[in-house]
């Protein structure tokens, strides 16, 4: 079980963070770190004339990604519900067709 945990270091905003992650999560976490650093750079460029500090930029990135996550989460829930409704409708249609034959 301990072999599934991998110690890694990630660099966000110029700071190194040691993490212990599941082996299958490593790639996703590294991609997330790249996305965070890219978004930080975008915010720094967009708001270069403001007096924001590193913490302010990190907060903006956090809000951005959490908002996207919540939007995706609600979309996913709707998609699953729609899929279940389609399946139920198909089952009902099949039942009605069989009933009409009898």
């Amino acid at each position: 079980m301990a072999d599934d945990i991998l110690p890694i270091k990630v660099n966000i905003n110029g700071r190194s963070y040691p993490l212990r992650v599941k082996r299958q999560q490593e790639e996703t976490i590294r991609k997330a770190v790249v996305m965070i650093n890219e978004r930080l750079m975008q915010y720094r460029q967009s708001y270069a004339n403001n007096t924001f500090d590193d913490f302010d930029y990190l907060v903006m990135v956090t809000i951005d990604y959490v908002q996207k996550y919540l939007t995706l989460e609600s979309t996913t829930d709707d998609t699953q519900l729609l899929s279940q409704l389609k399946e139920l409708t198909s089952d009902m249609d099949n039942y009605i067709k069989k009933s009409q034959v009898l």
Side-chain angles (χ1 to χ4, degrees), residues 15-26:
R15 292 183 63 179
S16 181
Y17 296 93
L19 299 175
R20 294 177 54 78
V21 301
K22 293 180 181 176
R23 190 172 299 278
Q24 63 267 24
Q25 293 175 326
E26 180 188 10

Side-chain angles (χ1 to χ4, degrees), residues 29-41:
I29 289 171
R30 292 195 185 278
K31 285 180 182 179
V33 168
V34 168
M35 290 173 65
I36 290 167
N37 284 320
E38 287 175 352
R39 184 66 70 183
L40 279 167
M41 190 178 351

Side-chain angles (χ1 to χ4, degrees), residues 13 31 40 48-49 57-58 63 72 78 80 95-96 98:
N13 196 35
K31 285 180 182 179
L40 279 167
N49 296 330
Y57 291 118
L58 287 168
I63 291 170
L72 180 61
D78 292 344
Q80 290 173 350
Y95 178 78
I96 291 170
K98 287 179 183 178

Side-chain angles (χ1 to χ4, degrees), residues 43 58-68:
Y43 276 116
L58 287 168
V59 168
M60 287 188 265
V61 170
T62 302
I63 291 170
D64 188 26
Y65 282 119
V66 170
Q67 181 273 327
K68 288 179 182 183

Side-chain angles (χ1 to χ4, degrees):
M1 191 64 99
D3 292 336
D4 291 344
I5 302 297
L6 184 66
I8 65 171
K9 286 187 180 180
V10 298
N11 189 310
I12 298 175
N13 196 35
R15 292 183 63 179
S16 181
Y17 296 93
L19 299 175
R20 294 177 54 78
V21 301
K22 293 180 181 176
R23 190 172 299 278
Q24 63 267 24
Q25 293 175 326
E26 180 188 10
E27 183 180 352
T28 304
I29 289 171
R30 292 195 185 278
K31 285 180 182 179
V33 168
V34 168
M35 290 173 65
I36 290 167
N37 284 320
E38 287 175 352
R39 184 66 70 183
L40 279 167
M41 190 178 351
Q42 290 172 355
Y43 276 116
R44 279 194 184 99
Q45 291 171 352
S46 294
Y47 298 99
N49 296 330
N50 289 305
T51 58
F52 296 141
D53 62 12
D54 287 345
F55 183 78
D56 295 323
Y57 291 118
L58 287 168
V59 168
M60 287 188 265
V61 170
T62 302
I63 291 170
D64 188 26
Y65 282 119
V66 170
Q67 181 273 327
K68 288 179 182 183
Y69 170 80
L70 292 172
T71 300
L72 180 61
E73 186 179 59
S74 69
T75 302
T76 302
D77 289 345
D78 292 344
T79 303
Q80 290 173 350
L81 180 60
L82 183 59
S83 175
Q84 290 173 345
L85 284 171
K86 285 181 181 180
E87 184 178 317
L88 181 58
T89 301
S90 175
D91 290 346
M92 290 174 61
D93 286 343
N94 289 334
Y95 178 78
I96 291 170
K97 286 177 185 177
K98 287 179 183 178
S99 296
Q100 290 174 346
V101 171
L102 298 175

